[in-house]
């Protein structure tokens, strides 16, 4: 598929995550104005849309202006929004997000936030020279997106790209997805905190585990090493399936000092054929916003 030029991106975008909601005005592919507000995780979907609409209004959005909306959770091909971890957005239970966005804001396209970030990184960032690219975000959970031949892989049920739900030989605990022994359950922030609790360090969150590892505490270092090893194995698995040549890593854990180096070291245990180039994501907080607008404009183009 022909690549969409970044300079073609002019419009608005929103990114609703588990902790914050961001909106942006984008001109020729550059975020020129951005607003942030805390996300009310317990709010119903209509209230979430109202919050987005209010923020966009402050940026000068008018009904029908090009708009891409990225959200935490699963968005199916009908535009229905489902929570994949009910502890994050418990009121999101198959809401018709696409219909509501068009009703309240005019032209709009919605998709998962990690998928939006992957699309932006694949077209304009770390994967811009790649033909088979994956974006991984390692944060509270583990998510991602896959861009093959400049096309974001998607599926009717909206599950494509939720790579953290893949089984891991390094894990045996429950995942927020409902599966057991997944990459997310051992590698994400919740999994890291659970491992600390199981190791008699109750009440220790992922940030504290990283701090303890930096202070030379072996128990914390082992937990982080296991997380990185699980992510490396995931990269090997995805490469076996998709023939990846480049993987970009983002997220608060993925971008933490030393984490990508740990993952690269673990990836060296894989045969060379299963070791794609592993680099940091380049677009930062702009990625889901730019990717959401790009997805909308790609959808609207003839």
């Amino acid at each position: 598929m022909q690549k969409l030029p970044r300079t073609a991106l002019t419009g608005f975008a929103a990114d609703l995550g588990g902790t914050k909601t961001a909106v942006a005005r984008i001109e020729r592919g550059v975020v020129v104005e951005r607003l942030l507000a805390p996300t009310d995780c317990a709010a119903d979907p209509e209230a979430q849309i109202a919050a987005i609409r209010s923020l966009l209004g402050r940026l000068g959005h008018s009904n029908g202006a090009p708009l891409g909306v990225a959200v935490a959770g699963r968005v199916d091909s009908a535009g229905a929004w489902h929570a994949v971890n009910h502890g994050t957005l418990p009121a999101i239970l198959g809401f018709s997000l696409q219909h509501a966005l068009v009703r309240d804001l005019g032209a709009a396209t919605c998709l998962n936030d990690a998928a939006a970030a992957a699309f932006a990184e694949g077209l304009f960032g770390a994967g811009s020279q790649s033909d088979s690219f994956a974006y991984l975000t390692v944060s509270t959970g583990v998510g991602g997106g896959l861009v093959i031949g400049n096309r974001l892989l998607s599926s009717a049920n909206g599950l494509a790209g939720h790579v953290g739900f893949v089984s891991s030989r390094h894990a045996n605990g429950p995942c927020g997805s409902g599966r057991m022994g997944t990459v997310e359950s051992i590698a994400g922030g919740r999994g890291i905190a659970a491992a600390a609790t199981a190791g008699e360090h109750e009440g220790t969150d992922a940030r504290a585990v990283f701090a303890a590892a930096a202070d030379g505490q072996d128990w914390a270092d082992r937990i982080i090493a296991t997380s990185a090893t699980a992510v490396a194995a995931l990269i090997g698995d995805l490469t076996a399936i998709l023939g990846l040549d480049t993987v970009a890593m983002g997220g608060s854990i993925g971008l933490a000092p030393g984490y990508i180096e740990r993952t690269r070291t673990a990836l060296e245990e894989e045969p060379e054929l299963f070791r794609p180039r592993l680099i940091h994501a380049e677009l930062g907080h702009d990625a889901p916003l730019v990717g959401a607008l790009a997805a909308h404009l790609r959808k609207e183009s003839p």
Side-chain angles (χ1 to χ4, degrees), residues 98-158:
Q98 179 70 34
H99 172 78
L101 289 172
V102 173
R103 177 197 69 201
D104 290 357
L105 293 164
T109 296
C110 55
L111 71 166
N112 168 263
D113 52 359
F119 196 40
E121 290 284 353
L123 294 187
F124 316 119
S128 62
Q129 302 302 311
S130 169
D131 187 61
S132 299
F133 171 74
Y135 166 77
L136 301 181
T137 174
V138 187
S139 188
T140 304
V142 177
L146 308 163
V147 181
I148 310 297
N150 297 324
R151 182 190 296 272
L152 177 68
L153 291 190
S154 61
S155 61
N157 62 8

Side-chain angles (χ1 to χ4, degrees), residues 164-169 171-183 185:
F165 301 153
V166 170
S167 296
S168 173
R169 63 182 179 272
N172 55 27
C175 174
S177 68
R179 301 194 76 203
M180 291 291 294
T182 65
V183 175
S185 72

Side-chain angles (χ1 to χ4, degrees), residues 4-10 27-31 124-125 283 286 290:
L4 183 73
R6 185 165 180 174
T7 54
L9 306 186
T10 294
E27 293 182 3
R28 295 180 60 81
V30 177
V31 173
F124 316 119
L283 302 181
D286 287 349
V290 169

Side-chain angles (χ1 to χ4, degrees), residues 82-106:
H82 313 259
V84 292
N85 189 318
H86 296 289
T88 302
L89 295 169
I92 309 303
L93 303 170
F95 175 73
S96 296
L97 179 61
Q98 179 70 34
H99 172 78
L101 289 172
V102 173
R103 177 197 69 201
D104 290 357
L105 293 164

Side-chain angles (χ1 to χ4, degrees), residues 10-271:
T10 294
F12 296 83
D15 174 21
L16 188 150
T19 58
K20 67 180 183 303
T21 298
V23 298
R25 181 168 59 86
I26 298 171
E27 293 182 3
R28 295 180 60 81
V30 177
V31 173
V32 295
E33 192 173 4
R34 181 201 312 265
L35 293 173
L36 295 172
T39 298
D40 181 355
C41 294
D44 64 35
E46 292 286 0
Q48 303 286 14
I49 292 174
I52 290 172
R53 185 174 65 240
S54 175
L55 288 170
L56 286 170
R58 291 166 56 190
L59 292 183
H61 175 271
S62 58
N63 193 280
L67 172 63
V69 177
V71 295
R74 178 169 60 89
V75 179
D76 65 28
S77 60
W81 184 19
H82 313 259
V84 292
N85 189 318
H86 296 289
T88 302
L89 295 169
I92 309 303
L93 303 170
F95 175 73
S96 296
L97 179 61
Q98 179 70 34
H99 172 78
L101 289 172
V102 173
R103 177 197 69 201
D104 290 357
L105 293 164
T109 296
C110 55
L111 71 166
N112 168 263
D113 52 359
F119 196 40
E121 290 284 353
L123 294 187
F124 316 119
S128 62
Q129 302 302 311
S130 169
D131 187 61
S132 299
F133 171 74
Y135 166 77
L136 301 181
T137 174
V138 187
S139 188
T140 304
V142 177
L146 308 163
V147 181
I148 310 297
N150 297 324
R151 182 190 296 272
L152 177 68
L153 291 190
S154 61
S155 61
N157 62 8
L159 196 57
H162 284 78
V163 296
F165 301 153
V166 170
S167 296
S168 173
R169 63 182 179 272
H170 303 284
N172 55 27
C175 174
S177 68
R179 301 194 76 203
M180 291 291 294
T182 65
V183 175
E184 178 165 309
S185 72
I186 196 70
R190 291 190 191 92
I192 288 171
T197 295
E200 300 182 356
H201 297 276
E202 190 168 355
T204 305
D205 62 11
R207 186 185 298 273
V209 173
F210 271 85
D215 195 41
Q217 299 187 43
D218 288 344
W219 66 268
D221 192 76
R222 288 193 298 270
I223 290 173
I224 295 170
T226 298
S227 168
T229 299
V231 171
L234 170 64
I235 292 169
D237 289 344
L238 292 174
T239 301
I241 297 167
L242 297 165
L244 299 177
D245 57 60
T246 305
V247 174
M249 187 177 293
S252 57
I253 291 172
L255 297 177
Y259 188 85
I260 197 169
E261 288 78 16
R262 287 177 180 267
T263 308
R264 287 192 184 115
T265 298
L267 194 58
E268 288 295 320
E269 299 299 316
E270 296 279 348

